Amino acid sequence: MVTATVLPDQTVVVEGNRIAAIGPTSQTEIPPNSTVVNCQHAYLMPGLADMHMHLRYNWLSDTWPVSPLKLYLANGVTTIRCFGPRGKTGRYGLTWRKEIESGRLDGPSILTCGPQLRGHFKENPEQIVIRQKYQHFDFIKIYAFVDRQEYHTIMSTAKKLNFYTAGHIPFQVGLDGILAEGMNEIAHIEELIWEVSELDRHRYFNNEGEWMSYAIQTTFSRFAPLLELNPREQERKIETMVVALANKLKDKPVPVCTTLVIDDLIVRKLFDPDDFLERPENRYLPLSYLERFRKGLGKHQLQFKGGEVFAPFKYMLDKKLLVALKAKNIPLLLSTDAGTGIMGAVPGFSLHDELSILVENGFTPYEALAAGTVVASKIVQRMNGLDEFGSIVPGKRADLLLLAKNPLDDVAHARSILGVMAAGRWYDQESISAMLDR
Ligand SMILES: [Zn+2]
């Protein structure tokens, strides 16, 4: 994944959890007593990262038919980065990380922020930032309702502590505000859409539901006149808008998580629910979610009620933004927002859908895979100082994905998994099928 080429006839040596060597098979010595995996006629690539997902405390319970930690591994995802652990204090993510590192638990390497900073604080947010830093969370996640003053306190405390900051664009602060404060990363492409909505930045919201319906309604009424225009005129106006937004980011390129698979799912759930319900991977979702969905009570079914037509329009805007951001060389990070079990994105499987969406929107297969490998690792380095996954280089973590077909020819080939190595532990096809057994 350093260049878009295939190196034939290579041998990779792994010792412990690290890559020890890579080189032409004729010149690379295999240490005595090694376990040898014959990879002839197969393709080896670095394991993938889901750069925006959510851990949830009930992952190891029977709420999930199979633990999402295993769903990730089985799909070749060897790094996950949590954008807000849901439930409890969020420290279970740090516990699982240690258990996985020590081999007591099967799963990908975990990076995680602490509980989201959602605003309406009961204590000085400075204290929360300091606490999360010394609890060894990797970054802080800022949510949409943090007010201007709170945001400034959070950002200046984080800067003093050299603590990475990522999140939504708080609606009181806006894009210009977060760029001025130097927030390190934006949590979703869709955050940028609200920027053109002329939001009333002095409003108060009690919860996500209130904020989301306000954002959706305001944005929809802002764009409604556009829907009256002829397609070409409409396209031209939108083009101008998204390019202006992308331009704002280009001087200090702030990485953005893609999470487009959620848009795709929203449209499918609203307009083709039977198609959504037929997905084979639904068998891995919590049953309670599918029951709510069948009753029309899913999160997005409620959020878009009466404004369903906005969903495909918003998806179109997000895709245009993707293209504009890519054209300005803004780092884009492969990500899905999966994990909570309330949106229908299945951990691991959804990352492959995201890869396909990127390719459908102008990425080469190499560029899409890079967003979840080399590019992702470079951004993580800004966060914790370690560039240790995403390419097959001595010294990096042994996160590898063995495929039957070349993913540079077709990104869907990243699904043709013959085996996965996560931090030096090898899972062959048989152990992967066993992991997926409900
Ligand atoms: Zn999220």
Side-chain angles (χ1 to χ4, degrees):
M1 286 307 300
V2 179
T3 59
T5 47
V6 175
L7 304 174
D9 301 319
Q10 300 288 300
T11 288
V12 177
V13 180
V14 170
E15 281 174 19
N17 66 356
R18 299 279 143 178
I19 295 163
I22 170 169
T25 294
S26 57
Q27 296 161 32
T28 307
E29 205 182 314
I30 299 174
N33 304 321
S34 297
T35 302
V36 177
V37 180
N38 186 342
C39 303
Q40 247 180 354
H41 308 300
Y43 294 83
L44 193 70
M45 65 166 278
L48 293 163
D50 188 340
M51 292 292 281
H52 177 151
M53 43 67 65
H54 293 271
L55 297 170
R56 200 169 160 87
Y57 69 94
N58 63 8
W59 274 15
L60 305 184
S61 76
D62 55 7
T63 308
W64 288 81
V66 171
S67 160
L69 293 171
K70 291 182 177 172
L71 297 179
Y72 275 116
L73 280 188
N75 279 283
V77 183
T78 49
T79 301
I80 52 176
R81 189 173 59 152
C82 170
F83 257 67
R86 298 288 167 89
K88 315 271 180 185
T89 62
R91 297 184 78 175
Y92 55 90
L94 299 174
T95 308
W96 294 349
R97 160 152 81 195
K98 278 195 200 140
E99 304 231 309
I100 289 166
E101 276 168 5
S102 67
R104 287 193 296 272
L105 188 64
D106 287 315
S109 293
I110 294 177
L111 298 160
T112 180
C113 61
Q116 301 179 353
L117 279 76
R118 295 181 78 89
H120 309 329
F121 298 106
K122 292 194 188 79
E123 61 182 321
N124 187 336
E126 184 183 12
Q127 292 308 316
I128 304 175
V129 175
I130 294 172
R131 189 164 62 237
Q132 292 195 359
K133 172 77 182 177
Y134 292 107
Q135 285 176 334
H136 305 293
F137 288 109
D138 297 294
F139 65 106
I140 55 170
K141 155 90 179 276
I142 300 166
Y143 205 66
F145 333 116
V146 168
D147 72 27
R148 256 188 228 99
Q149 184 51 48
E150 291 165 342
Y151 186 76
H152 179 69
T153 306
I154 291 166
M155 287 303 300
S156 54
T157 312
K159 264 186 218 158
K160 275 185 245 161
L161 296 167
N162 193 22
F163 203 6
Y164 193 86
T165 49
H168 290 216
I169 299 174
F171 79 96
Q172 278 201 9
V173 180
L175 179 60
D176 294 328
I178 67 143
L179 293 175
E181 293 270 13
M183 189 159 79
N184 298 109
E185 190 176 321
I186 297 173
H188 306 276
I189 285 177
E190 77 171 22
E191 289 301 306
L192 295 165
I193 287 188
W194 315 132
E195 280 303 304
V196 287
S197 312
E198 289 160 14
L199 301 174
D200 169 4
R201 299 201 183 270
H202 297 281
R203 271 178 95 107
Y204 180 89
F205 299 101
N206 288 304
N207 55 50
E208 181 178 357
E210 278 179 22
W211 146 251
M212 227 17 181
S213 4
Y214 172 73
I216 289 171
Q217 274 162 25
T218 314
T219 308
F220 192 41
S221 51
R222 163 93 170 92
F223 283 105
L226 282 186
L227 298 176
E228 311 287 312
L229 299 172
N230 70 54
R232 191 184 269 172
E233 188 70 356
Q234 193 187 104
E235 181 125 358
R236 203 182 54 77
K237 288 231 153 118
I238 290 168
E239 215 69 60
T240 314
M241 240 180 248
V242 298
V243 169
L245 277 170
N247 269 331
K248 283 193 178 192
L249 291 177
K250 82 173 197 302
D251 293 332
K252 310 186 251 189
V254 182
V256 184
C257 293
T258 56
T259 66
L260 290 173
V261 68
I262 298 295
D263 279 316
D264 193 64
L265 279 173
I266 292 173
V267 174
R268 284 171 80 175
K269 288 187 293 187
L270 297 178
F271 294 96
D272 204 350
D274 292 336
D275 174 63
F276 169 74
L277 283 170
E278 274 163 22
R279 298 183 314 165
E281 65 264 38
N282 283 354
R283 75 182 78 170
Y284 298 112
L285 284 172
L287 270 180
S288 55
Y289 168 75
L290 293 169
E291 277 163 24
R292 266 200 316 281
F293 180 80
R294 285 198 188 91
K295 289 183 194 148
L297 299 173
K299 170 178 166 161
H300 295 124
Q301 289 166 310
L302 297 175
Q303 235 166 36
F304 283 86
K305 206 165 197 89
E308 284 84 355
V309 63
F310 182 55
F313 185 71
K314 173 182 170 294
Y315 188 18
M316 182 270 286
L317 288 175
D318 281 337
K319 288 192 278 196
K320 294 257 183 225
L321 269 164
L322 174 83
V323 172
L325 293 168
K326 178 170 178 282
K328 303 289 173 191
N329 294 317
I330 311 296
L332 293 159
L333 301 171
L334 186 70
S335 49
T336 64
D337 218 0
T340 60
I342 57 168
M343 299 199 288
V346 184
F349 293 89
S350 51
L351 199 65
H352 291 277
D353 296 334
E354 188 77 18
L355 283 170
S356 302
I357 293 170
L358 296 185
V359 170
E360 282 158 19
N361 291 282
F363 282 58
T364 63
Y366 175 78
E367 288 169 335
L369 295 166
T373 54
V374 270
V375 172
S377 186
K378 283 269 181 292
I379 299 304
V380 168
Q381 186 179 26
R382 295 186 192 172
M383 196 174 89
N384 66 7
L386 302 170
D387 175 10
E388 61 176 355
F389 65 91
S391 52
I392 305 178
V393 173
K396 284 204 172 185
R397 199 166 54 220
D399 290 344
L400 305 167
L401 183 47
L402 189 67
L403 303 171
K405 294 185 241 171
N406 182 0
L408 297 179
D409 289 343
D410 179 346
V411 84
H413 292 168
R415 300 176 196 251
S416 65
I417 297 174
L418 300 172
V420 176
M421 182 174 279
R425 268 181 286 163
W426 173 244
Y427 302 89
D428 60 12
Q429 259 180 322
E430 210 177 311
S431 44
I432 290 172
S433 321
M435 279 198 286
L436 286 175
D437 188 0
R438 299 154 73 221

